[in-house]
């Protein structure tokens, strides 16, 4: 047996997945060095992981957000869940689903008699997503809802919030339907993905089968115009049929 190493081919076959990288941010066609991925891909993975961790601990830019929301000429409430801080929020998901007593009392004391749609903006698992994408989306969605003569409840900004917190907010605001824009769980290629969940007939205790979701709202995912159009059509249909969740299918045909 010869001790001479086998030379590597001068022109190795191209990775058959390489052409697909233009269509997705998923980690495909990374190549390899021996039995490992190339150093540049390993470093890129570690950077993406750091971005995801940063997004989980990111803070809502509350003052800026509250100021910018004034352009919609709607009352604005600022509430928080029972989770006292980020650490408790991550360890106790149940506390993020229930309003703090002070916030609950404030909503009930000044809520309108009735409304069609309540809009909630929540940090969720990525305040970065809400900071970056909520206002551009609302600037397209709110006018559509108003032009359709839907009565909008006051806007609500919620901190340390889970999706189900919107049910309690919807009840307090006497809303037929509640829509919450919330930062989604960060992925290794999407630390700033915004999700939109809406529920007809909100009330505490509902499970996810009662909701509809439009996810990955961001320039690299579902564009603002496409998301606003899809949400408007789904909300319109939800109010017309008086239901949401698994009984309401997305028949808009809209992709991006």
């Amino acid at each position: 047996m010869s001790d001479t190493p086998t030379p590597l081919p001068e022109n190795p076959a191209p990775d058959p997945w390489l052409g697909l990288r233009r269509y997705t941010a998923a980690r495909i066609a990374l190549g390899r060095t021996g039995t490992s991925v190339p150093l540049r891909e390993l470093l890129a993975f570690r950077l993406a992981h750091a971005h995801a961790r940063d997004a989980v601990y990111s803070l809502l830019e509350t003052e800026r957000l509250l100021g910018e929301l004034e352009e919609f000429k709607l009352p604005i409430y600022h509430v928080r869940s029972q989770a006292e801080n980020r650490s408790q929020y991550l360890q106790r998901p149940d506390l993020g689903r229930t309003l703090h007593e002070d916030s609950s009392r404030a909503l009930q004391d000044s809520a309108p008699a009735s409304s069609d749609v309540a809009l909630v903006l929540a940090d969720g698992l990525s305040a970065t997503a809400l900071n970056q994408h909520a206002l551009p989306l609302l600037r397209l969605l709110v006018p559509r809802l108003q032009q359709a003569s839907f009565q909008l409840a006051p806007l609500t900004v919620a901190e340390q919030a889970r999706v189900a917190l919107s049910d309690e907010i919807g009840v307090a605001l006497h809303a037929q339907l509640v829509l919450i824009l919330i930062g989604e769980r960060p992925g290794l290629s999407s630390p700033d993905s915004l999700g939109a969940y809406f529920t007809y007939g909100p009330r505490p205790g509902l499970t996810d089968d009662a909701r509809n979701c439009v996810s990955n709202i961001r320039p690299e995912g579902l564009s603002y115009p496409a998301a606003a159009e899809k949400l408007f059509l789904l909300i319109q249909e939800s109010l017309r049929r008086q239901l949401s969740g698994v009984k309401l299918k997305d028949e808009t045909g809209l992709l991006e």
Side-chain angles (χ1 to χ4, degrees):
M1 175 181 286
S2 172
D3 293 332
T4 304
T6 303
L8 295 174
E10 294 183 4
N11 297 304
D15 191 316
W17 291 75
L18 193 59
L20 297 178
R21 294 192 69 170
R22 77 184 73 171
Y23 302 111
T24 178
R27 313 186 83 78
I28 63 172
L30 303 181
R32 68 179 184 179
T33 300
T35 58
S36 302
V37 296
L39 177 60
R40 66 178 180 277
E41 297 295 347
L42 176 61
L43 295 177
F45 175 85
R46 290 181 175 177
L47 179 62
H49 185 258
H51 285 319
R53 287 177 59 88
D54 287 346
V56 169
Y57 288 96
S58 60
L59 300 176
L60 203 59
E61 296 173 1
T62 308
E63 294 303 319
R64 177 186 65 81
L65 190 59
L66 292 172
E68 291 180 340
L69 288 174
E70 292 180 358
E71 69 181 73
F72 298 109
K73 309 300 182 183
L74 293 168
I76 304 170
Y77 296 143
H78 180 201
V79 302
R80 61 188 178 95
S81 73
Q82 291 188 11
E84 295 295 333
N85 51 54
R86 201 61 178 171
S87 178
Q88 189 180 58
Y89 170 84
L90 294 173
Q91 295 178 56
R92 293 283 307 276
D94 57 310
L95 296 180
R97 301 185 183 110
T98 308
L99 280 171
H100 188 277
E101 292 180 2
D102 294 342
S103 294
S104 179
R105 191 179 305 111
L107 287 181
Q108 293 173 3
D109 289 346
S110 55
S114 64
S115 59
D116 295 319
V117 180
L119 300 174
V120 181
L121 288 72
D123 47 9
L125 288 169
S126 174
T128 298
L130 197 78
N131 292 335
Q132 295 180 359
H133 308 311
L135 264 296
L137 177 61
L138 287 178
R139 286 175 178 138
L140 297 172
L141 179 60
V142 169
R144 291 294 306 274
L145 295 172
Q146 292 173 328
Q147 289 166 10
S149 299
F150 291 129
Q151 183 178 359
L152 300 185
L155 299 171
T156 305
V157 176
E159 294 194 69
Q160 311 296 3
R162 302 277 176 171
V163 172
L165 190 72
S166 62
D167 293 331
E168 191 173 348
I169 294 173
V171 170
L173 297 179
H174 305 113
Q176 291 190 63
L177 180 146
V178 62
L179 168 67
I180 183 170
L181 305 181
I182 190 167
E184 296 182 310
R185 180 180 292 106
L188 290 177
S189 59
S190 55
D192 62 338
S193 180
L194 184 70
Y197 296 78
F198 68 85
T199 310
Y200 181 85
R203 63 183 185 277
L206 291 178
T207 53
D208 287 342
D209 65 303
R211 316 183 203 287
N212 292 82
C213 175
V214 175
S215 64
N216 197 30
I217 302 170
R218 60 195 185 105
E220 299 81 6
L222 185 66
S223 68
Y224 304 139
E229 183 68 10
K230 183 182 288 287
L231 283 169
F232 171 74
L233 294 175
L234 286 171
I235 288 171
Q236 185 173 241
E237 188 68 5
S238 177
L239 289 169
R240 185 183 72 82
R241 297 175 59 186
Q242 300 183 352
L243 53 82
S244 62
V246 295
K247 296 180 180 180
L248 181 65
K249 304 301 181 183
D250 182 359
E251 299 174 351
T252 64
L254 298 174
L255 293 176
E256 295 186 26

